[in-house]
Amino acid sequence: MIVELIKIAFNNLGSNKLRSFLSMLGIIIGVSAVIAIISIGQGATYRIRSRVSSLGSGLIIVSPGFKGGKAGKVSTEVRDVFSLELAADLAKGSPDVEEVVPSINSGALLKYKDNNYQARMVATTPGYIRVLNCSVERGRFLLERDVEGFRKVAVIGQGVASELFPGEDPLGKKIIAYFGKRRLIFEVVGVLAHKGQMMFFNFDEQIYVPITTVMKRAAGKRYVDLYLIQAKDADKAESAAMEVEFLLTRKLKDPDLFRIRSQEEVIETVKQITSTMILMLAGIAGISLVVGGIGIMNIMLVSVTERTREIGIRKALGAKRSDILLQFLIEASVISFIGGVVGLFLGWIVSAVVSHFTGWPIIISPLSIVLAFGFSVGIGLIFGIYPARKAALLNPVEALRYE
Amino acid sequence: MEEVLFELKNVKKVYRVGEVYVPALRDVSLKVERGAFIAIVGRSGSGKSTLLHILGCLDKPTEGDFYLDGENILEASENRLASIRNRKIGFVFQQFNLLPRMTALENVETPCIYAGVKRRERIERARKVLKKVGLEEERFFHYPSQLSGGQRQKVAIARALINDPAIILADEPTGSLDSRSGDEILKIFQRLNEEGRTIILVTHEQYVAEYAGRIIRLKDGYIEDEK
Ligand SMILES: Nc1ncnc2c1ncn2[C@@H]1O[C@H](COP(=O)(O)OP(=O)(O)O)[C@@H](O)[C@H]1O
Ligand SMILES: [Mg+2]
C-alpha cells in the first residue's frame, strides 16, 4: 500500500516538475542554510581553537587596564606600570608561574640595501619562544647575554627574511630599523621557523630584539607593554593567574591598572561567541525551513483543490479516509524529503566553497544531517496534515460533481 | 426464493445550498432483489443520480431507512462504507471518471490497491477483466486520453468489475457515447446480469431502458411509476 502511495506521489510530482521544484525551494534553502551554517561555524571554532592552543598551553597575558571612561571622559589605556623589576617579582612570588616574559611591541620600518619592510618589532627576552611555542629555523634566538649587554642583535620571522633577503642568507647581515624617532642598526643572528597568523598578528612578519636595547636606546623607556606568563603546566594555569592577580593588586594597589587574560579564557570566549552566532544563524535557517513548510502547505492545498475530482473517484472506488490522508501526507513528505536531500548537498557544497577560501575545515556532523532531515520531513508532515485532512474529509458526491 | 438486496424506506435527501434547502429525493421506498436488472429513468434533475449515490453508499439519506444485504447503512462507519464501495459495488459513470495520469491497466488496478491485493495478482486480475469487457490488448498501456469513448467506458467497467462485486451501478453509462458503442456497452451489462450480478442503470434514453427487467420512473424526487 505504502509503495503504491509513494509511486502515486512521484507520479503526481513528476507531472508538474516546475511546480514541485518551486515548492521544494523553501526546504532546499532552509536545509542547505542549516547544514552550511553549522558546518562553517564548527569549522571556524575548530580552527580558532587550534590556533589559540598552538601557542602552547597555560599562557597568561597581563596587559594594561583602562582608566576613566566614566562621566563622559574617554577611557585611556594605562601606561607606565609594568617594569622589568615587577616581572622578576612576579616570577619569584608565584609558585605556579614558570616564567614571566616582558614585551614591548611597536611598528618598525626595516631596511637592508634597497629593500625595506614594515614589520612589527617585538622587544623581549629569551623566554619568548618558549612561552609562545616558536622555534628557531637557523641561527639562534635572543640570549641572556644579549639582554644583559643591550646588544643590537635581532631574530627575524620568515616573512621578514624572504622580503628583505631574497636569495641571500640573512645571518650576519646588518638591518637598519626606524622606530619612533630612532634609528638603530641590528645584526641578524637567527631566523624563526614558520608559524603564521595568530589572532591579530603574524609571527612571520615580526622582528625580535632584546628588550633592554629598545628600552635604553628609545629615550630611556622604563616600562614595558605586557607580560607573557607561562604557568608551570596547563592544569596550573588558573591558579597561576590567581597568584599573578593577587601579587599585582598588592604591588600596584589598583586592580584597574591591569588586565589578566588566560588562554583558556580566550578559548572560552571564542566558543561562546561562535556558539551564539551559530544559534542565531540556525534560528534564521529554522525560520526559512518553516517558510518552506508553508510553501509546501500552499502547494498541497492547491493540489487538493485541483484534484478534488480524483479524490471523489478514489473514494467511489473504495478508498478510505485514511488512504486519502496517507496519499497526500506522503506526497508532502516526498517533496520535503527530496528538498532535504538536495539541500544537504547544496549546504555541503556551500561549506566546501567557504572552506576552500578560508582554509577552515568542513565539519558536517551526523547530528546536523539528522537534524536537517528530521526537520524537513517533519515539516512536510506537519504542514501536509492540514491539506491532507481536507482531502480525506471531502464528501465523495460533492467531489465527483466538482468541475 | 427472491432475496432482497436493497431496501429503501421513505428515503429523503435534501441538499443545502447556502440558505436554501434543495430536496433531491422527497419520499422514496424501494426494494431490489438480488440479480435484478433495473433502469431508473426520468427527466434531468428528477433525482436519479442522487438515488444511485445513496444506493452506492457514496451518500447517506437525510431521512428514512436504508438496508443493503440486511445491513443498516445509516449506522455504518465511514470505513465500512468505503469497504462496501470497494468490494460489493462497482460504479460506472457517464464521464468515465478515469484517472488521467494512469494507463488503462493501472486505472483498472486501483480498487484492488484499496482492497490490499498484491501487485502480481492485481495485474493478472486487471488483464482478465479488461479482456472480459473486450478491450484490445494493445490498448492496455494507453492513457485515457489515447482511447475512444467506448474504449474508456470499457476500462471503467473493467475497473468496476475487478473486485468481483455483486452490484453494478451505472449513471448514464451510454450518455457520452455514439449509439454503436452504446449498444456494445449495454451488451456487456446484459452479460454481467446473466452472470448473476445486480445491475442498476440510470438513463434518460428509452431504448436503453428496454434492456432492463424493471423500469422505475422518477419525477421531482418521487417514484412516479414502475413497470
Ligand atoms: N450536491 C448537491 N448540492 C445541491 N443540489 C444538488 C446536489 N446534488 C443534486 N442536487 C439537486 O438535486 C436535484 C436532483 O439532482 P440529480 O439527482 O443529479 O438529478 P438527475 O441525476 O436526475 O439529473 C437537482 O435539482 C439538483 O440540482
Ligand atoms: Mg444525473
Side-chain angles (χ1 to χ4, degrees):
Chain A
M1 181 64 136
I2 297 277
V3 180
E4 274 77 27
L5 292 179
I6 292 175
K7 246 199 292 197
I8 293 171
F10 272 98
N11 198 334
N12 279 319
L13 297 179
S15 72
N16 206 332
K17 292 192 183 62
L18 179 65
R19 196 166 82 182
S20 306
F21 170 72
L22 288 177
S23 60
M24 278 172 204
L25 207 55
I27 293 289
I28 292 177
I29 293 172
V31 168
S32 56
V34 168
I35 293 286
I37 285 165
I38 292 181
S39 88
I40 292 170
Q42 286 185 335
T45 316
Y46 176 83
R47 166 48 66 97
I48 292 170
R49 282 166 69 179
S50 66
R51 278 285 162 85
V52 171
S53 49
S54 80
L55 289 177
S57 50
L59 175 66
I60 299 158
I61 298 172
V62 178
S63 57
F66 287 90
K67 269 271 164 172
K70 288 180 192 123
K73 272 193 212 138
V74 177
S75 76
T76 50
E77 201 171 72
V78 173
R79 288 158 175 274
D80 303 341
V81 283
F82 300 149
S83 63
L84 289 180
E85 293 72 36
L86 186 55
D89 289 350
L90 285 181
K92 253 185 270 153
S94 332
D96 290 333
V97 166
E98 173 80 31
E99 191 163 15
V100 177
V101 175
S103 127
I104 299 172
N105 306 316
S106 57
L109 181 67
L110 308 180
K111 244 178 108 177
Y112 173 72
K113 288 188 186 160
D114 287 340
N115 299 333
N116 60 65
Y117 186 81
Q118 182 67 42
R120 223 168 82 96
M121 188 160 82
V122 179
T124 187
T125 60
Y128 187 88
I129 58 168
R130 289 193 291 275
V131 172
L132 289 182
N133 255 16
C134 300
S135 53
V136 174
E137 190 184 75
R138 263 168 331 131
R140 60 174 178 82
F141 196 65
L142 304 173
L143 301 175
E144 283 306 333
R145 62 166 195 270
D146 299 329
V147 176
E148 280 155 16
F150 311 98
R151 291 173 62 175
K152 294 191 277 183
V153 293
V155 176
I156 56 179
Q158 290 277 312
V160 180
S162 62
E163 289 291 327
L164 284 186
F165 304 98
E168 254 185 271
D169 183 5
L171 291 188
K173 302 282 166 19
K174 295 242 169 7
I175 305 181
I176 309 171
Y178 300 90
F179 60 99
K181 285 178 184 132
R182 304 270 139 191
R183 174 178 174 279
L184 276 180
I185 296 172
F186 291 99
E187 183 190 336
V188 178
V189 296
V191 180
L192 285 190
H194 170 76
K195 186 157 173 93
Q197 184 81 28
M198 188 5 251
M199 308 299 274
F200 304 114
F201 53 94
N202 189 330
F203 285 95
D204 296 343
E205 293 167 4
Q206 298 189 136
I207 176 168
Y208 307 88
V209 298
I211 194 159
T212 48
T213 313
V214 169
M215 288 173 85
K216 184 176 159 216
R217 318 238 175 213
K221 196 171 175 169
R222 288 183 47 219
Y223 297 97
V224 304
D225 290 346
L226 29 98
Y227 297 145
L228 303 166
I229 298 173
Q230 172 71 56
K232 279 249 159 54
D233 56 58
D235 311 345
K236 300 220 171 94
E238 210 175 319
S239 54
M242 275 162 61
E243 288 163 14
V244 168
E245 184 172 5
F246 173 76
L247 275 176
L248 281 176
T249 313
R250 214 178 57 189
K251 299 237 178 219
L252 299 176
K253 303 197 171 51
D254 184 353
D256 286 343
L257 288 180
F258 61 91
R259 270 190 310 167
I260 298 180
R261 280 168 300 170
S262 67
Q263 194 180 1
E264 280 69 25
E265 237 173 51
V266 174
I267 292 178
E268 207 40 54
T269 312
V270 167
K271 243 160 80 182
Q272 265 176 22
I273 293 173
T274 46
S275 65
T276 316
M277 254 170 55
I278 289 176
L279 220 66
M280 231 173 63
L281 292 170
I284 294 170
I287 290 172
S288 79
L289 271 179
V290 171
V291 172
I294 293 171
I296 288 183
M297 179 148 105
N298 185 28
I299 287 297
M300 292 308 294
L301 282 173
V302 171
S303 175
V304 168
T305 308
E306 274 181 0
R307 284 152 66 194
T308 300
R309 202 181 172 85
E310 174 190 329
I311 295 163
I313 295 169
R314 289 184 181 279
K315 286 198 158 189
L317 299 179
K320 295 187 175 68
R321 281 179 177 172
S322 56
D323 296 329
I324 303 291
L325 186 85
L326 209 58
Q327 178 186 332
F328 281 90
L329 269 188
I330 286 178
E331 219 168 294
S333 345
V334 165
I335 293 179
S336 57
F337 181 79
I338 295 176
V341 174
V342 175
L344 182 66
F345 275 96
L346 206 68
W348 182 77
I349 290 171
V350 168
S351 28
V353 168
V354 170
S355 138
H356 176 77
F357 284 111
T358 57
W360 300 341
I362 313 176
I363 300 175
I364 295 185
S365 63
L367 180 75
S368 66
I369 294 175
V370 170
L371 220 73
F373 267 119
F375 246 108
S376 62
V377 173
I379 273 173
L381 287 176
I382 289 168
F383 287 93
I385 275 182
Y386 175 68
R389 240 180 74 86
K390 211 177 141 178
L393 294 180
L394 277 177
N395 174 297
V397 172
E398 308 264 343
L400 278 170
R401 286 167 62 98
Y402 187 85
E403 292 301 325
Chain B
M1 192 190 89
E2 298 269 80
E3 193 192 338
V4 176
L5 191 57
F6 289 104
E7 186 172 6
L8 297 185
K9 280 189 211 155
N10 307 103
V11 161
K12 294 188 179 112
K13 180 73 193 180
V14 180
Y15 290 108
R16 192 185 154 177
V17 184
E19 297 292 300
V20 188
Y21 291 88
V22 182
L25 293 178
R26 290 171 197 270
D27 187 0
V28 173
S29 297
L30 180 67
K31 281 185 186 177
V32 177
E33 281 83 38
R34 188 181 289 280
F37 191 148
I38 295 183
I40 300 175
V41 299
R43 288 230 207 98
S44 172
S46 57
K48 306 182 295 291
S49 296
T50 304
L51 178 58
L52 200 73
H53 291 150
I54 287 175
L55 291 172
C57 301
L58 274 171
D59 216 348
K60 284 187 177 179
T62 319
E63 255 177 67
D65 288 314
F66 173 28
Y67 295 88
L68 199 177
D69 241 350
E71 184 177 350
N72 186 350
I73 295 302
L74 270 77
E75 286 174 0
S77 69
E78 274 294 325
N79 277 353
R80 177 63 193 149
L81 293 182
S83 162
I84 291 172
R85 293 196 290 262
N86 189 233
R87 288 153 206 264
K88 285 197 179 178
I89 297 169
F91 261 105
V92 179
F93 303 93
Q94 179 179 357
Q95 299 89 355
F96 321 121
N97 278 344
L98 298 175
L99 297 172
R101 284 191 296 273
M102 293 184 168
T103 63
L105 200 70
E106 287 169 338
N107 263 289
V108 175
E109 274 181 56
T110 307
C112 258
I113 292 178
Y114 295 123
V117 177
K118 293 255 178 325
R119 192 179 134 81
R120 288 220 5 221
E121 194 192 332
R122 243 166 33 212
I123 294 175
E124 208 171 289
R125 277 206 222 168
R127 286 179 169 277
K128 216 166 87 188
V129 285
L130 276 170
K131 267 187 213 142
K132 182 173 173 177
V133 298
L135 190 78
E136 303 81 1
E137 199 142 350
E138 70 262 26
R139 297 285 180 190
F140 284 9
F141 293 98
H142 284 196
Y143 288 90
S145 60
Q146 299 163 322
L147 298 173
S148 74
Q151 288 165 335
R152 287 186 213 182
Q153 201 57 298
K154 283 179 184 172
V155 174
I157 295 172
R159 183 177 67 181
L161 286 174
I162 190 156
N163 281 339
D164 196 22
I167 303 155
I168 301 287
L169 303 179
D171 196 347
E172 308 206 29
T174 57
S176 307
L177 303 177
D178 58 86
S179 60
R180 238 198 59 190
S181 326
D183 278 341
E184 221 180 320
I185 295 300
L186 289 169
K187 294 248 161 57
I188 295 173
F189 281 119
Q190 213 167 27
R191 237 176 49 224
L192 293 174
N193 181 238
E194 282 158 11
E195 286 175 3
R197 290 179 222 270
T198 309
I199 313 283
I200 302 180
L201 203 105
V202 165
T203 181
H204 60 253
E205 290 159 299
Q206 195 53 45
Y207 89 96
V208 173
E210 312 281 275
Y211 283 81
R214 184 175 158 200
I215 299 175
I216 295 169
R217 183 173 304 276
L218 282 187
K219 192 185 174 194
D220 296 336
Y222 291 107
I223 296 182
E224 192 183 34
D225 68 69
E226 225 195 288
K227 60 177 183 207

